[in-house]
Amino acid sequence: MLTRLFRTLVVLSLFCPPLFAADPAPQVGYCNVAMAVMLHPLMAHLDTSTGRFHGAALPNGAGLTSQASGEIENQRKQLFQEVDQLKKEIAEVNQQFIGNLHALNRERDALGKAQDQSSPGTQTEEYSNKRRELEQAHRQNILSIRSKLSFKESELEKLNSEAKHTDQLPVRETERVFKLILDDVQAAIDTVTGREKLSFVFNSATAFRFQHPSQAFVEGNPLSELLDPARSSKAVTGSDIEYSLMSRLYQWTTGEMSQLYYCNDARLTRFVVKGGVDITPAVVAEVYKKHNVGQAAADLVQKLFRSDLMK
């Protein structure tokens, strides 16, 4: 973190214009946004094995989890029916192939009795060609149906796994909780920035990629203990309980942070938290001008930079 801050200050010293002696020096601050997120009270409702929040994280969370559970069950029933139907199709295709093969054998036997046996090689070749065509058609049908069946079974396996976590919010709602958390963090940054009269505030969080949570490496969530008055009151200053809780909080805020896997809000890892001038739009405009990019396309890109998508 200190190394990154040092690099930031070096960049500022290189690219910021010299200040007159009478001008106050710009005050530069930094905030570890990821750590602030990890310590947010709502994070107490995060399941560390899945990276998703329990329903209690939202006022209407119980209704959302119940609705999601019902949708999952309906999808499972539909997939069960589709899987059964595909298995029946495989059995029917196999039965049809056997019937066609018996019919071809009877046709061969009948022709062998009715025709002159002077050219048995021709009859054998015709039979072989027809049988080969039947086998190829049967193989293609089976492969096509089995491909559909494999896909449906894979989807069913995912739903069965999802059904084990019906007390948790869906991914889209987990993402919404993270946005609410970052709204709080951003508002707090604005307040502190104004109070401390800081000109620039950088994000000192160093983790930009978060691993998918794995049940093989599940760690307890210390936030639930921290925010439980009955349990946190036992952490008397200087006691072993206090030190143990602080150690767990440290690990919680400085570990791999797979708990943030579903946090797709750009504010989590954006380098510049507040202040400064973003020259990216102007740079792109100059490049477009050099390459004679059409005005409509150039205007659309500039509009993108001004849109809420970039905030």
Side-chain angles (χ1 to χ4, degrees), residues 72-98:
I72 290 173
E73 188 57 31
N74 290 335
Q75 293 175 17
R76 289 178 69 213
K77 290 180 180 178
Q78 179 65 29
L79 278 174
F80 272 127
Q81 294 176 358
E82 294 176 0
V83 166
D84 287 342
Q85 181 60 36
L86 287 170
K87 289 180 178 178
K88 290 178 181 178
E89 288 185 23
I90 290 177
E92 291 172 357
V93 168
N94 284 332
Q95 191 63 35
Q96 184 180 9
F97 170 69
I98 293 173

Side-chain angles (χ1 to χ4, degrees), residues 100-116:
N100 291 336
L101 189 57
H102 286 332
L104 180 61
N105 289 338
R106 288 194 297 269
E107 178 185 345
R108 177 200 57 185
D109 294 341
L111 287 175
K113 293 178 180 179
Q115 294 180 356
D116 184 7

Side-chain angles (χ1 to χ4, degrees), residues 196-233:
E196 302 296 331
K197 297 181 174 57
L198 300 174
S199 301
F200 299 93
V201 178
F202 294 92
N203 187 354
S204 62
T206 55
F208 290 93
R209 292 184 177 88
F210 304 105
Q211 299 295 322
H212 191 282
S214 171
Q215 295 188 7
F217 302 97
V218 176
E219 294 185 2
N221 186 335
L223 262 295
S224 58
E225 180 178 344
L226 175 70
L227 300 177
D228 183 352
R231 301 176 67 180
S232 61
S233 61

Side-chain angles (χ1 to χ4, degrees), residues 146-161:
R146 282 181 177 170
S147 176
K148 295 176 184 178
L149 178 61
S150 176
F151 175 78
K152 295 295 182 182
E153 288 178 334
S154 175
E155 292 297 305
L156 184 57
E157 184 178 352
K158 292 178 183 177
L159 286 178
N160 288 336
S161 176

